[in-house]
Amino acid sequence: VQLQASGGGLVQAGDSLRLSCAASERTFSTYNVGWFRQAPGKEREFVARISWNGASTVYAESVKGRFTISRDNVKNTLYLQMNKLAPEDTAVYYCAASRGSLWPFSADYWGQGTQVTVSS
């Protein structure tokens, strides 16, 4: 499965962005998927994940209440709605997909990343 992330950009604090991650195969609907991010000089960190059928979502504490993860299995696309963005949200955002038992600590596929920069 190939994942193509998009939607990043330069915004001001308090603004919103919606990231998208388009999958190349219809088997996307059988994968648990999620978003991770990596800021300069920091390790990659988990942001949010959603189960294969959309029934379950989990968020990092730092984004809870501000970010919403969703998926459209007809369009083979994963989304991340980011509201009330803050400078500390600045990072490259990656989408990932997995059917493995180690998820979210390990993923089968990664997108190429999309840069989100939030100015104060």
Side-chain angles (χ1 to χ4, degrees), residues 4-79:
Q4 182 74 35
S6 62
L10 172 62
V11 297
Q12 293 186 333
D15 286 350
S16 299
L17 274 177
R18 188 176 81 155
L19 305 183
S20 299
C21 176
S24 61
E25 299 181 13
R26 302 178 82 173
T27 56
F28 169 80
S29 64
T30 66
Y31 284 81
N32 297 312
V33 290
W35 291 96
F36 297 76
R37 67 187 182 186
Q38 187 167 19
K42 295 186 177 181
E43 294 187 352
R44 185 170 59 201
E45 65 175 0
F46 164 76
V47 175
R49 68 180 192 262
I50 186 168
S51 59
W52 64 274
N53 60 358
S56 174
T57 58
V58 179
Y59 296 91
E61 284 297 323
S62 60
V63 306
K64 198 174 291 185
R66 299 187 299 124
F67 291 10
T68 302
I69 190 170
S70 62
R71 66 188 297 164
D72 185 332
N73 284 344
V74 174
K75 296 181 178 179
N76 298 329
T77 303
L78 171 69
Y79 302 100

Side-chain angles (χ1 to χ4, degrees), residues 74-120:
V74 174
K75 296 181 178 179
N76 298 329
T77 303
L78 171 69
Y79 302 100
L80 185 68
Q81 178 66 44
M82 305 186 294
N83 298 330
K84 299 179 182 179
L85 283 162
E88 52 265 35
D89 295 317
T90 294
V92 177
Y93 284 70
Y94 298 91
C95 52
S98 177
R99 289 191 291 198
S101 60
L102 296 179
W103 174 256
F105 302 104
S106 178
D108 298 326
Y109 302 99
W110 291 91
Q112 87 288 1
T114 185
Q115 176 71 48
V116 173
T117 303
V118 184
S119 63
S120 57

